[in-house]
Amino acid sequence: MHDVTIRHNPERQRFEVLTGGNVIGKAVYKEYDGGGSPQRIFYHTVINEEYGGQGLAGKLAKVALNETVDEGRAIVPVCPFIKKYVRKHPDYAAATVAITPAHLEFLNTALAPRARA
């Protein structure tokens, strides 16, 4: 396999795994400020099937969560993979916020297809 790089792509609100210049995985989020402090809601993590089983999702989660904490943002783990990762790595507990109905409502609104005029 080519060298693997993990980068933050804030314009697309995601962290990406790249190899050979191609995005082969991502952890997607939405920024949320309704909780009294800046939060990052992680709602989807995926690695392309042909790259599965190589630990790339874990490396992606580590980079994404470390950068989130370093920026002073709380982690909101809606994504099942991120939720499981945070449970297995208790050092993120202090930076993790429980999911609330407000988080889910925000995500539903943010991710809903925009009505066309």
Tab-separated table of all heavy atoms in Angstrom, residues 55-111:
chain	number	residue	atom	x	y	z
A	55	GLY	N	-6.549	-1.228	10.536
A	55	GLY	CA	-6.454	-0.299	11.649
A	55	GLY	C	-6.557	1.160	11.260
A	55	GLY	O	-6.289	2.048	12.081
A	56	LEU	N	-6.960	1.438	10.030
A	56	LEU	CA	-7.014	2.825	9.561
A	56	LEU	C	-8.112	3.628	10.250
A	56	LEU	O	-7.927	4.812	10.537
A	56	LEU	CB	-7.197	2.868	8.046
A	56	LEU	CG	-6.028	2.306	7.237
A	56	LEU	CD1	-6.373	2.283	5.742
A	56	LEU	CD2	-4.758	3.107	7.481
A	57	ALA	N	-9.233	3.003	10.538
A	57	ALA	CA	-10.319	3.735	11.214
A	57	ALA	C	-9.876	4.177	12.605
A	57	ALA	O	-10.173	5.293	13.028
A	57	ALA	CB	-11.577	2.875	11.287
A	58	GLY	N	-9.155	3.331	13.306
A	58	GLY	CA	-8.646	3.704	14.626
A	58	GLY	C	-7.651	4.839	14.557
A	58	GLY	O	-7.673	5.759	15.388
A	59	LYS	N	-6.751	4.789	13.563
A	59	LYS	CA	-5.782	5.885	13.390
A	59	LYS	C	-6.510	7.179	13.051
A	59	LYS	O	-6.156	8.254	13.548
A	59	LYS	CB	-4.776	5.533	12.292
A	59	LYS	CG	-3.843	4.413	12.685
A	59	LYS	CD	-2.930	4.032	11.542
A	59	LYS	CE	-2.081	2.822	11.945
A	59	LYS	NZ	-1.272	2.338	10.845
A	60	LEU	N	-7.523	7.086	12.201
A	60	LEU	CA	-8.321	8.248	11.825
A	60	LEU	C	-9.020	8.834	13.051
A	60	LEU	O	-8.980	10.044	13.282
A	60	LEU	CB	-9.347	7.840	10.766
A	60	LEU	CG	-10.402	8.862	10.361
A	60	LEU	CD1	-9.755	10.111	9.778
A	60	LEU	CD2	-11.376	8.233	9.369
A	61	ALA	N	-9.637	7.972	13.852
A	61	ALA	CA	-10.337	8.435	15.058
A	61	ALA	C	-9.366	9.129	16.008
A	61	ALA	O	-9.685	10.197	16.548
A	61	ALA	CB	-11.018	7.263	15.756
A	62	LYS	N	-8.194	8.561	16.201
A	62	LYS	CA	-7.216	9.153	17.118
A	62	LYS	C	-6.822	10.564	16.678
A	62	LYS	O	-6.819	11.493	17.483
A	62	LYS	CB	-5.978	8.264	17.211
A	62	LYS	CG	-4.947	8.791	18.180
A	62	LYS	CD	-3.770	7.841	18.287
A	62	LYS	CE	-2.758	8.388	19.288
A	62	LYS	NZ	-1.630	7.485	19.486
A	63	VAL	N	-6.516	10.728	15.405
A	63	VAL	CA	-6.141	12.047	14.893
A	63	VAL	C	-7.312	13.024	15.021
A	63	VAL	O	-7.147	14.150	15.493
A	63	VAL	CB	-5.657	11.954	13.429
A	63	VAL	CG1	-5.519	13.337	12.794
A	63	VAL	CG2	-4.334	11.201	13.347
A	64	ALA	N	-8.495	12.593	14.622
A	64	ALA	CA	-9.674	13.469	14.661
A	64	ALA	C	-10.005	13.899	16.089
A	64	ALA	O	-10.257	15.079	16.343
A	64	ALA	CB	-10.865	12.755	14.029
A	65	LEU	N	-9.969	12.961	17.016
A	65	LEU	CA	-10.324	13.289	18.398
A	65	LEU	C	-9.239	14.118	19.071
A	65	LEU	O	-9.546	15.062	19.801
A	65	LEU	CB	-10.610	12.017	19.185
A	65	LEU	CG	-11.799	11.195	18.660
A	65	LEU	CD1	-11.991	9.938	19.494
A	65	LEU	CD2	-13.069	12.014	18.605
A	66	ASN	N	-7.975	13.805	18.812
A	66	ASN	CA	-6.891	14.604	19.393
A	66	ASN	C	-6.947	16.048	18.903
A	66	ASN	O	-6.790	16.987	19.695
A	66	ASN	CB	-5.521	13.990	19.083
A	66	ASN	CG	-5.233	12.767	19.905
A	66	ASN	OD1	-5.899	12.475	20.896
A	66	ASN	ND2	-4.222	12.015	19.502
A	67	GLU	N	-7.181	16.231	17.622
A	67	GLU	CA	-7.256	17.600	17.096
A	67	GLU	C	-8.473	18.332	17.654
A	67	GLU	O	-8.391	19.516	17.980
A	67	GLU	CB	-7.288	17.595	15.569
A	67	GLU	CG	-7.182	18.989	15.001
A	67	GLU	CD	-6.851	19.048	13.533
A	67	GLU	OE1	-6.028	18.235	13.065
A	67	GLU	OE2	-7.415	19.929	12.854
A	68	THR	N	-9.568	17.634	17.800
A	68	THR	CA	-10.777	18.226	18.369
A	68	THR	C	-10.510	18.722	19.794
A	68	THR	O	-10.836	19.861	20.139
A	68	THR	CB	-11.936	17.208	18.348
A	68	THR	OG1	-12.217	16.881	16.974
A	68	THR	CG2	-13.183	17.752	19.016
A	69	VAL	N	-9.895	17.884	20.595
A	69	VAL	CA	-9.561	18.246	21.977
A	69	VAL	C	-8.550	19.391	21.996
A	69	VAL	O	-8.698	20.355	22.762
A	69	VAL	CB	-9.037	17.014	22.748
A	69	VAL	CG1	-8.491	17.409	24.107
A	69	VAL	CG2	-10.139	15.970	22.897
A	70	ASP	N	-7.532	19.321	21.139
A	70	ASP	CA	-6.512	20.374	21.077
A	70	ASP	C	-7.110	21.730	20.710
A	70	ASP	O	-6.602	22.774	21.123
A	70	ASP	CB	-5.407	20.011	20.081
A	70	ASP	CG	-4.516	18.873	20.568
A	70	ASP	OD1	-4.589	18.508	21.766
A	70	ASP	OD2	-3.756	18.336	19.738
A	71	GLU	N	-8.188	21.724	19.932
A	71	GLU	CA	-8.864	22.966	19.548
A	71	GLU	C	-9.798	23.468	20.648
A	71	GLU	O	-10.436	24.506	20.491
A	71	GLU	CB	-9.685	22.745	18.270
A	71	GLU	CG	-8.852	22.525	17.030
A	71	GLU	CD	-9.711	22.204	15.812
A	71	GLU	OE1	-10.958	22.280	15.881
A	71	GLU	OE2	-9.126	21.866	14.765
A	72	GLY	N	-9.928	22.727	21.745
A	72	GLY	CA	-10.807	23.132	22.832
A	72	GLY	C	-12.265	22.809	22.590
A	72	GLY	O	-13.153	23.383	23.225
A	73	ARG	N	-12.522	21.878	21.690
A	73	ARG	CA	-13.896	21.468	21.392
A	73	ARG	C	-14.218	20.167	22.117
A	73	ARG	O	-13.352	19.322	22.286
A	73	ARG	CB	-14.090	21.255	19.889
A	73	ARG	CG	-13.882	22.511	19.086
A	73	ARG	CD	-14.155	22.280	17.608
A	73	ARG	NE	-13.956	23.501	16.874
A	73	ARG	CZ	-14.831	24.497	16.809
A	73	ARG	NH1	-15.975	24.400	17.436
A	73	ARG	NH2	-14.556	25.581	16.121
A	74	ALA	N	-15.467	20.025	22.478
A	74	ALA	CA	-15.927	18.777	23.073
A	74	ALA	C	-16.301	17.799	21.958
A	74	ALA	O	-16.685	18.194	20.856
A	74	ALA	CB	-17.131	19.027	23.971
A	75	ILE	N	-16.194	16.518	22.270
A	75	ILE	CA	-16.522	15.438	21.336
A	75	ILE	C	-17.957	14.989	21.611
A	75	ILE	O	-18.305	14.687	22.754
A	75	ILE	CB	-15.575	14.240	21.552
A	75	ILE	CG1	-14.130	14.651	21.315
A	75	ILE	CG2	-15.980	13.056	20.681
A	75	ILE	CD1	-13.111	13.689	21.924
A	76	VAL	N	-18.779	14.934	20.560
A	76	VAL	CA	-20.128	14.386	20.668
A	76	VAL	C	-20.150	13.154	19.753
A	76	VAL	O	-20.203	13.284	18.535
A	76	VAL	CB	-21.211	15.405	20.246
A	76	VAL	CG1	-22.600	14.821	20.452
A	76	VAL	CG2	-21.046	16.719	21.008
A	77	PRO	N	-20.075	11.949	20.332
A	77	PRO	CA	-19.910	10.733	19.534
A	77	PRO	C	-21.228	10.102	19.082
A	77	PRO	O	-21.680	9.097	19.623
A	77	PRO	CB	-19.159	9.804	20.495
A	77	PRO	CG	-19.673	10.193	21.847
A	77	PRO	CD	-19.927	11.682	21.763
A	78	VAL	N	-21.843	10.653	18.049
A	78	VAL	CA	-23.063	10.075	17.487
A	78	VAL	C	-22.718	8.856	16.627
A	78	VAL	O	-23.415	7.847	16.657
A	78	VAL	CB	-23.846	11.130	16.672
A	78	VAL	CG1	-25.014	10.511	15.922
A	78	VAL	CG2	-24.338	12.247	17.593
A	79	CYS	N	-21.641	8.922	15.891
A	79	CYS	CA	-21.179	7.823	15.037
A	79	CYS	C	-20.876	6.595	15.907
A	79	CYS	O	-20.143	6.706	16.893
A	79	CYS	CB	-19.925	8.265	14.288
A	79	CYS	SG	-18.988	6.921	13.557
A	80	PRO	N	-21.413	5.424	15.554
A	80	PRO	CA	-21.148	4.226	16.355
A	80	PRO	C	-19.660	3.899	16.507
A	80	PRO	O	-19.231	3.476	17.587
A	80	PRO	CB	-21.878	3.111	15.602
A	80	PRO	CG	-22.945	3.818	14.832
A	80	PRO	CD	-22.365	5.166	14.479
A	81	PHE	N	-18.859	4.109	15.470
A	81	PHE	CA	-17.437	3.801	15.578
A	81	PHE	C	-16.750	4.747	16.561
A	81	PHE	O	-15.974	4.315	17.419
A	81	PHE	CB	-16.725	3.851	14.219
A	81	PHE	CG	-15.278	3.466	14.340
A	81	PHE	CD1	-14.902	2.138	14.352
A	81	PHE	CD2	-14.297	4.432	14.515
A	81	PHE	CE1	-13.574	1.764	14.518
A	81	PHE	CE2	-12.965	4.079	14.681
A	81	PHE	CZ	-12.604	2.741	14.676
A	82	ILE	N	-17.023	6.030	16.448
A	82	ILE	CA	-16.413	7.008	17.358
A	82	ILE	C	-16.888	6.754	18.786
A	82	ILE	O	-16.101	6.821	19.735
A	82	ILE	CB	-16.723	8.458	16.910
A	82	ILE	CG1	-16.107	8.744	15.528
A	82	ILE	CG2	-16.241	9.470	17.944
A	82	ILE	CD1	-14.597	8.736	15.467
A	83	LYS	N	-18.158	6.429	18.955
A	83	LYS	CA	-18.699	6.126	20.284
A	83	LYS	C	-17.944	4.946	20.906
A	83	LYS	O	-17.532	5.000	22.069
A	83	LYS	CB	-20.189	5.795	20.179
A	83	LYS	CG	-20.878	5.631	21.516
A	83	LYS	CD	-22.346	5.266	21.357
A	83	LYS	CE	-23.101	6.368	20.667
A	83	LYS	NZ	-24.550	6.131	20.612
A	84	LYS	N	-17.726	3.899	20.128
A	84	LYS	CA	-16.996	2.719	20.616
A	84	LYS	C	-15.534	3.072	20.903
A	84	LYS	O	-14.973	2.642	21.913
A	84	LYS	CB	-17.090	1.613	19.561
A	84	LYS	CG	-16.449	0.318	19.943
A	84	LYS	CD	-16.659	-0.710	18.833
A	84	LYS	CE	-15.938	-1.999	19.135
A	84	LYS	NZ	-16.104	-2.976	18.052
A	85	TYR	N	-14.924	3.868	20.046
A	85	TYR	CA	-13.524	4.263	20.227
A	85	TYR	C	-13.347	5.042	21.530
A	85	TYR	O	-12.414	4.793	22.292
A	85	TYR	CB	-13.050	5.093	19.026
A	85	TYR	CG	-11.567	5.351	19.039
A	85	TYR	CD1	-10.691	4.472	18.427
A	85	TYR	CD2	-11.031	6.476	19.667
A	85	TYR	CE1	-9.319	4.689	18.445
A	85	TYR	CE2	-9.675	6.704	19.691
A	85	TYR	CZ	-8.822	5.808	19.069
A	85	TYR	OH	-7.450	6.033	19.094
A	86	VAL	N	-14.256	5.967	21.791
A	86	VAL	CA	-14.177	6.778	23.010
A	86	VAL	C	-14.333	5.889	24.250
A	86	VAL	O	-13.636	6.078	25.240
A	86	VAL	CB	-15.240	7.910	22.973
A	86	VAL	CG1	-15.417	8.560	24.323
A	86	VAL	CG2	-14.867	8.954	21.932
A	87	ARG	N	-15.235	4.914	24.179
A	87	ARG	CA	-15.417	3.990	25.306
A	87	ARG	C	-14.150	3.187	25.578
A	87	ARG	O	-13.817	2.917	26.720
A	87	ARG	CB	-16.573	3.024	25.030
A	87	ARG	CG	-17.883	3.546	25.535
A	87	ARG	CD	-18.946	2.462	25.545
A	87	ARG	NE	-20.081	2.939	24.768
A	87	ARG	CZ	-20.612	2.302	23.738
A	87	ARG	NH1	-20.161	1.145	23.340
A	87	ARG	NH2	-21.629	2.825	23.107
A	88	LYS	N	-13.446	2.791	24.515
A	88	LYS	CA	-12.222	1.988	24.667
A	88	LYS	C	-11.014	2.824	25.071
A	88	LYS	O	-9.992	2.276	25.459
A	88	LYS	CB	-11.899	1.259	23.357
A	88	LYS	CG	-12.803	0.097	23.062
A	88	LYS	CD	-12.325	-0.617	21.817
A	88	LYS	CE	-13.061	-1.916	21.617
A	88	LYS	NZ	-12.528	-2.655	20.462
A	89	HIS	N	-11.106	4.137	24.942
A	89	HIS	CA	-10.002	5.048	25.252
A	89	HIS	C	-10.500	6.086	26.259
A	89	HIS	O	-10.850	7.211	25.885
A	89	HIS	CB	-9.473	5.704	23.976
A	89	HIS	CG	-8.906	4.715	23.013
A	89	HIS	ND1	-9.684	4.048	22.092
A	89	HIS	CD2	-7.644	4.249	22.857
A	89	HIS	CE1	-8.923	3.235	21.396
A	89	HIS	NE2	-7.687	3.319	21.839
A	90	PRO	N	-10.507	5.734	27.538
A	90	PRO	CA	-11.094	6.615	28.560
A	90	PRO	C	-10.395	7.962	28.718
A	90	PRO	O	-10.956	8.864	29.338
A	90	PRO	CB	-11.007	5.784	29.840
A	90	PRO	CG	-10.047	4.691	29.558
A	90	PRO	CD	-10.028	4.477	28.079
A	91	ASP	N	-9.222	8.132	28.120
A	91	ASP	CA	-8.556	9.431	28.196
A	91	ASP	C	-9.356	10.518	27.474
A	91	ASP	O	-9.101	11.697	27.668
A	91	ASP	CB	-7.117	9.346	27.677
A	91	ASP	CG	-6.970	8.566	26.380
A	91	ASP	OD1	-7.578	7.475	26.267
A	91	ASP	OD2	-6.249	9.027	25.486
A	92	TYR	N	-10.354	10.138	26.666
A	92	TYR	CA	-11.206	11.127	25.996
A	92	TYR	C	-12.461	11.452	26.811
A	92	TYR	O	-13.240	12.323	26.425
A	92	TYR	CB	-11.631	10.630	24.608
A	92	TYR	CG	-10.489	10.522	23.637
A	92	TYR	CD1	-10.018	9.286	23.230
A	92	TYR	CD2	-9.867	11.658	23.130
A	92	TYR	CE1	-8.958	9.180	22.334
A	92	TYR	CE2	-8.805	11.572	22.241
A	92	TYR	CZ	-8.360	10.322	21.852
A	92	TYR	OH	-7.313	10.229	20.968
A	93	ALA	N	-12.669	10.763	27.921
A	93	ALA	CA	-13.908	10.910	28.695
A	93	ALA	C	-14.171	12.355	29.118
A	93	ALA	O	-15.298	12.841	29.017
A	93	ALA	CB	-13.888	9.993	29.917
A	94	ALA	N	-13.143	13.045	29.577
A	94	ALA	CA	-13.325	14.423	30.057
A	94	ALA	C	-13.732	15.374	28.929
A	94	ALA	O	-14.351	16.408	29.178
A	94	ALA	CB	-12.045	14.927	30.717
A	95	ALA	N	-13.406	15.022	27.691
A	95	ALA	CA	-13.722	15.881	26.548
A	95	ALA	C	-14.973	15.426	25.803
A	95	ALA	O	-15.331	16.012	24.785
A	95	ALA	CB	-12.542	15.913	25.581
A	96	THR	N	-15.623	14.391	26.300
A	96	THR	CA	-16.796	13.841	25.619
A	96	THR	C	-18.079	14.333	26.279
A	96	THR	O	-18.186	14.375	27.491
A	96	THR	CB	-16.751	12.298	25.640
A	96	THR	OG1	-15.539	11.874	24.996
A	96	THR	CG2	-17.926	11.693	24.906
A	97	VAL	N	-19.044	14.696	25.442
A	97	VAL	CA	-20.335	15.192	25.898
A	97	VAL	C	-21.394	14.158	25.519
A	97	VAL	O	-21.373	13.628	24.402
A	97	VAL	CB	-20.651	16.551	25.222
A	97	VAL	CG1	-22.053	17.015	25.527
A	97	VAL	CG2	-19.634	17.595	25.623
A	98	ALA	N	-22.310	13.882	26.428
A	98	ALA	CA	-23.402	12.954	26.140
A	98	ALA	C	-24.298	13.518	25.033
A	98	ALA	O	-24.550	14.725	24.975
A	98	ALA	CB	-24.219	12.700	27.397
A	99	ILE	N	-24.772	12.631	24.193
A	99	ILE	CA	-25.661	13.021	23.101
A	99	ILE	C	-27.015	13.415	23.687
A	99	ILE	O	-27.563	12.708	24.529
A	99	ILE	CB	-25.843	11.850	22.120
A	99	ILE	CG1	-24.494	11.411	21.549
A	99	ILE	CG2	-26.798	12.224	21.003
A	99	ILE	CD1	-24.531	10.041	20.913
A	100	THR	N	-27.535	14.549	23.226
A	100	THR	CA	-28.834	15.026	23.683
A	100	THR	C	-29.806	15.087	22.506
A	100	THR	O	-29.380	15.079	21.342
A	100	THR	CB	-28.719	16.442	24.286
A	100	THR	OG1	-28.352	17.351	23.229
A	100	THR	CG2	-27.698	16.492	25.409
A	101	PRO	N	-31.098	15.193	22.779
A	101	PRO	CA	-32.055	15.392	21.682
A	101	PRO	C	-31.725	16.641	20.847
A	101	PRO	O	-31.948	16.652	19.642
A	101	PRO	CB	-33.406	15.528	22.403
A	101	PRO	CG	-33.224	14.721	23.653
A	101	PRO	CD	-31.793	14.967	24.060
A	102	ALA	N	-31.178	17.669	21.489
A	102	ALA	CA	-30.813	18.887	20.741
A	102	ALA	C	-29.722	18.594	19.709
A	102	ALA	O	-29.758	19.128	18.592
A	102	ALA	CB	-30.354	19.980	21.705
A	103	HIS	N	-28.749	17.748	20.064
A	103	HIS	CA	-27.713	17.362	19.099
A	103	HIS	C	-28.340	16.659	17.895
A	103	HIS	O	-28.000	16.953	16.743
A	103	HIS	CB	-26.692	16.405	19.739
A	103	HIS	CG	-25.793	17.040	20.735
A	103	HIS	ND1	-25.704	16.576	22.029
A	103	HIS	CD2	-24.930	18.083	20.651
A	103	HIS	CE1	-24.825	17.306	22.689
A	103	HIS	NE2	-24.349	18.231	21.876
A	104	LEU	N	-29.233	15.723	18.167
A	104	LEU	CA	-29.841	14.946	17.087
A	104	LEU	C	-30.746	15.805	16.211
A	104	LEU	O	-30.745	15.663	14.984
A	104	LEU	CB	-30.602	13.752	17.672
A	104	LEU	CG	-29.740	12.773	18.472
A	104	LEU	CD1	-30.595	11.668	19.059
A	104	LEU	CD2	-28.604	12.208	17.639
A	105	GLU	N	-31.470	16.722	16.836
A	105	GLU	CA	-32.313	17.640	16.066
A	105	GLU	C	-31.451	18.532	15.171
A	105	GLU	O	-31.761	18.752	13.996
A	105	GLU	CB	-33.158	18.488	17.013
A	105	GLU	CG	-34.135	19.399	16.309
A	105	GLU	CD	-34.997	20.178	17.289
A	105	GLU	OE1	-35.409	19.606	18.310
A	105	GLU	OE2	-35.240	21.370	17.015
A	106	PHE	N	-30.348	19.040	15.728
A	106	PHE	CA	-29.417	19.852	14.951
A	106	PHE	C	-28.896	19.065	13.748
A	106	PHE	O	-28.862	19.581	12.623
A	106	PHE	CB	-28.256	20.309	15.840
A	106	PHE	CG	-27.142	20.965	15.088
A	106	PHE	CD1	-27.233	22.286	14.696
A	106	PHE	CD2	-25.998	20.250	14.748
A	106	PHE	CE1	-26.195	22.898	13.984
A	106	PHE	CE2	-24.963	20.854	14.046
A	106	PHE	CZ	-25.064	22.183	13.660
A	107	LEU	N	-28.472	17.816	13.977
A	107	LEU	CA	-27.966	16.988	12.874
A	107	LEU	C	-29.034	16.741	11.822
A	107	LEU	O	-28.755	16.855	10.616
A	107	LEU	CB	-27.469	15.634	13.400
A	107	LEU	CG	-26.034	15.523	13.826
A	107	LEU	CD1	-25.735	14.095	14.253
A	107	LEU	CD2	-25.073	15.981	12.757
A	108	ASN	N	-30.235	16.414	12.260
A	108	ASN	CA	-31.329	16.161	11.301
A	108	ASN	C	-31.563	17.378	10.416
A	108	ASN	O	-31.750	17.260	9.215
A	108	ASN	CB	-32.622	15.774	12.024
A	108	ASN	CG	-32.579	14.348	12.525
A	108	ASN	OD1	-31.822	13.523	12.013
A	108	ASN	ND2	-33.382	14.065	13.519
A	109	THR	N	-31.544	18.547	11.027
A	109	THR	CA	-31.746	19.780	10.270
A	109	THR	C	-30.560	20.060	9.353
A	109	THR	O	-30.730	20.391	8.175
A	109	THR	CB	-31.961	20.973	11.226
A	109	THR	OG1	-33.107	20.696	12.046
A	109	THR	CG2	-32.176	22.269	10.473
A	110	ALA	N	-29.353	19.903	9.880
A	110	ALA	CA	-28.136	20.201	9.111
A	110	ALA	C	-27.956	19.259	7.936
A	110	ALA	O	-27.397	19.645	6.909
A	110	ALA	CB	-26.928	20.146	10.023
A	111	LEU	N	-28.423	18.019	8.085
A	111	LEU	CA	-28.193	17.015	7.040
A	111	LEU	C	-29.375	16.822	6.112
A	111	LEU	O	-29.273	16.091	5.133
A	111	LEU	CB	-27.816	15.668	7.690
A	111	LEU	CG	-26.562	15.692	8.555
A	111	LEU	CD1	-26.348	14.343	9.202
A	111	LEU	CD2	-25.342	16.111	7.747
